[in-house]
Amino acid sequence: MRAHWASAAALVAAVTVVTAAGATPSPTFRQLLDAGIPIYCGGGDKGYVAFTFDDGPGPYTARLVALLKQYGVRATFFEIGQKAVRKPKLVRLEASVGAIGDHSFTHPNLITLPPAQIRSELARTKRAIGRITKRRVLLFRPPFGDNASEILQIARSLGMLEVMWNQDSGDASEASTPSPQEIYQHLVDRVRAGGIVLMHEDEQVPATLDALKLYLPEFQKTGLKAVTVPQLLALDPPPLEEVAKGSGGCNSSWPGP
């Protein structure tokens, strides 16, 4: 627990990290938050990847966490508040292998709601997760990837950085969820250094778990290391001018181990 608070404090502190003499300073968490734009990826020039899981906790959480522990994978979980309140032990279980973010309280289409209701959805979830984990909630991901400026600013006012993604596993949480083999192939083809990878852990996508059973042994061979989103931003932060380009500013230049 103390280690987490130390890392969070380090991220929030406005300290500029210069990776090489004359290089463009890399942004800290506070600089990214103050910029008022969502984050899609890390810098991509070091061997780190951030796996993220939306819509939990759910019936597959315990098995997912056990699998991540088996392969030494750290991850970030964007939790639905009402699920977290019902299953606090599962939230704490996920916190044991990574970071917990806010994914709204009821998973509505936020762009259809008035500002006061948007704030309530985010604030209730942030409070609930904070009570359960005893950690600061620094990250937010909008349901369905709704990336409206008003939503972004509300999240920012609550002290949360909006986190999107640039590498999609394709495990869309709907009836058309691909097979584990298809999701596995998407991961093989798409996961690269600096990536923030979108996955789900809800009731409709048990295929994700089966895909990870196939993929994680292969991932270990790549030389990449799976870290949380806060760790990715601390270890391999993207330049602000690239962050401003959205997913178009994501590049992977890491040469490998």
Side-chain angles (χ1 to χ4, degrees):
M1 184 68 69
R2 290 179 180 175
H4 173 86
W5 279 103
S7 63
L11 282 169
V12 174
V15 178
T16 299
V17 177
V18 180
T19 58
T24 302
S26 298
T28 63
F29 178 89
R30 175 55 61 185
Q31 288 171 316
L32 289 168
L33 186 66
D34 289 345
I37 47 182
I39 186 79
Y40 285 81
C41 57
D45 59 357
K46 297 181 181 178
Y48 300 106
V49 169
F51 293 120
T52 67
F53 296 89
D54 287 6
D55 300 344
Y60 302 98
T61 294
R63 279 185 275 174
L64 172 61
V65 170
L67 185 65
L68 297 178
K69 285 184 176 179
Q70 179 183 345
Y71 288 96
V73 169
R74 304 287 291 174
T76 303
F77 305 88
F78 289 96
E79 309 281 46
I80 296 175
Q82 62 183 1
K83 290 185 177 183
V85 170
R86 295 190 201 114
K87 301 288 185 180
K89 290 183 179 179
L90 293 180
V91 178
R92 287 190 287 268
L93 183 63
E94 291 186 322
S96 72
V97 294
I100 308 294
D102 186 325
H103 198 44
S104 80
F105 200 80
T106 64
H107 203 272
N109 190 327
L110 291 174
I111 60 175
T112 68
L113 303 181
Q117 197 169 344
I118 296 171
R119 177 174 289 275
S120 175
E121 283 279 341
L122 274 58
R124 289 177 70 193
T125 305
K126 180 180 181 181
R127 286 195 300 269
I129 294 172
R131 284 195 303 267
I132 292 167
T133 64
K134 310 301 186 212
R135 297 180 179 181
R136 295 179 63 185
V137 181
L138 301 172
L139 309 175
F140 162 71
R141 175 173 285 166
F144 312 108
D146 289 337
N147 194 16
S149 59
E150 189 168 51
I151 300 169
L152 176 68
Q153 293 307 315
I154 290 171
R156 180 187 174 196
S157 73
L158 292 170
M160 295 187 294
L161 178 67
E162 185 174 301
V163 178
M164 302 297 282
W165 63 87
N166 70 314
Q167 296 172 5
D168 190 348
S169 70
D171 69 339
S173 56
E174 54 190 41
S176 60
T177 296
S179 69
Q181 290 74 23
E182 290 176 283
I183 298 169
Y184 158 78
Q185 194 59 53
H186 290 158
L187 292 168
V188 170
D189 293 341
R190 299 172 184 177
V191 173
R192 297 291 182 269
I196 296 177
V197 184
L198 174 66
M199 288 181 278
H200 298 79
E201 58 161 320
D202 64 2
E203 295 83 348
Q204 295 173 289
V205 286
T208 303
L209 189 63
D210 292 332
L212 284 171
K213 291 176 183 176
L214 298 172
Y215 175 67
L216 290 180
E218 298 301 314
F219 176 77
Q220 285 191 318
K221 301 174 186 177
T222 65
L224 292 166
K225 182 177 177 59
V227 297
T228 66
V229 170
Q231 287 174 325
L232 179 68
L233 298 181
L235 295 166
D236 186 21
L240 279 175
E241 64 269 21
E242 297 302 315
V243 176
K245 298 176 184 177
S247 59
C250 296
N251 299 288
S252 179
S253 58
W254 181 62

